[in-house]
Amino acid sequence: MESVEAAEFIYNSLRLRTLPLGVKFLEAGSGFPDKTRRPSEAMGKRITICQAVTMARVYGWTVGLTKADVICVPAMITFGMTRAPHQMATLGKLFCQVSFAKDETAAETETGSMSHLNNAEFEGLLLAPLQKGQFEPDTVVIYGNPAQVMRLIQAWSFHKGERVPGNFGGKVECSEYLIAPMKTGSPRVAIPGMGDRIFSTTQDDEMVFAMPGNGLDLLVEGLKEAGKKIGSRYPVTFYQNFQPEFPKPYKVMGKELDVI
């Protein structure tokens, strides 16, 4: 119930457009919970990982993925779903081929800084609205506009006293908001990449705040306490304690009418 109550509080206090997600990385033989939708079975299609994120956060589905369900090659490489012997070098080669990198050196530098899973490190990926409370999440993912993400950052920093990092490349960002928090134990701010926008209907005003699943209690308390003494909240309240200035014609007319 803790994750359910936390999810409800986060969703309501920030007036989120879509549902906060819990994400679980499944080892071999773990299996999926009942009523999990596998795209290859439920839809007869293979999809992108970011599509699964949208299905969970918008439709409220519990979605399970293995390599049989995924068709996005960059994500499959990054999530260890291929047999590429040198995963990130392979991804760098692809970046060069589609002109996302000037040359192999630039590609190698970028891919070397990206979060990833080793081949077959995990067998499956499970995504579900956090409100369902179906499992203990490895990663919590929250989509919001910049002001909502600002509040989440304030909440995290309230306890931890640390700035929230980001690692931006404009592509394969699912690795940053799904893998990085689980791997590092630290939150991430991510700007959704090309796949999110082309395939997953992610909107122009949406960003992602992602965090390790064991930090929910701190996040909720931080949302309650961070900036409380100055009224920090969402929606951000506008400052109204000032006297407006009007253009000269308004002032002249006001003086003629003896009202200012």
Side-chain angles (χ1 to χ4, degrees), residues 81-102:
M81 294 180 177
T82 73
R83 294 176 294 182
H86 305 289
Q87 292 168 253
M88 304 316 280
T90 301
L91 184 60
K93 179 180 178 181
L94 182 59
F95 282 0
C96 289
Q97 291 173 346
V98 299
S99 69
F100 268 144
K102 176 184 176 181

Side-chain angles (χ1 to χ4, degrees), residues 95-114:
F95 282 0
C96 289
Q97 291 173 346
V98 299
S99 69
F100 268 144
K102 176 184 176 181
D103 51 35
E104 290 185 4
T105 300
E108 182 179 346
T109 299
E110 180 175 4
T111 58
S113 70
M114 294 172 61

Side-chain angles (χ1 to χ4, degrees), residues 20-23 25 53 138-144 148-149 152-153 156 162-166 168 173-191 207-216 219:
L21 296 186
V23 180
F25 293 86
V53 171
D138 295 318
T139 301
V140 169
V141 177
I142 304 169
Y143 277 65
Q148 291 165 328
V149 171
L152 292 165
I153 294 169
W156 184 269
E162 60 188 25
R163 311 286 283 189
V164 174
F168 309 111
E173 297 301 319
C174 54
S175 66
E176 285 305 312
Y177 62 75
L178 295 175
I179 297 173
M182 182 270 294
K183 281 279 193 178
T184 67
S186 299
R188 284 288 189 278
V189 170
I191 298 175
M207 300 177 65
V208 186
F209 178 87
M211 55 175 282
N214 60 10
L216 269 176
L219 188 74

Side-chain angles (χ1 to χ4, degrees), residues 151-172:
R151 282 297 292 153
L152 292 165
I153 294 169
Q154 290 173 347
W156 184 269
S157 297
F158 176 79
H159 278 289
K160 295 291 188 176
E162 60 188 25
R163 311 286 283 189
V164 174
N167 187 27
F168 309 111
K171 50 199 176 290
V172 203

Side-chain angles (χ1 to χ4, degrees), residues 21-22 46 48 95 97 116 131 157 173 184 200-201 228 239 253 258:
L21 296 186
R46 298 172 71 179
T48 64
F95 282 0
Q97 291 173 346
H116 69 280
Q131 283 97 323
S157 297
E173 297 301 319
T184 67
S200 305
T201 69
K228 181 171 67 175
Y239 182 75
M253 179 64 73
D258 196 25

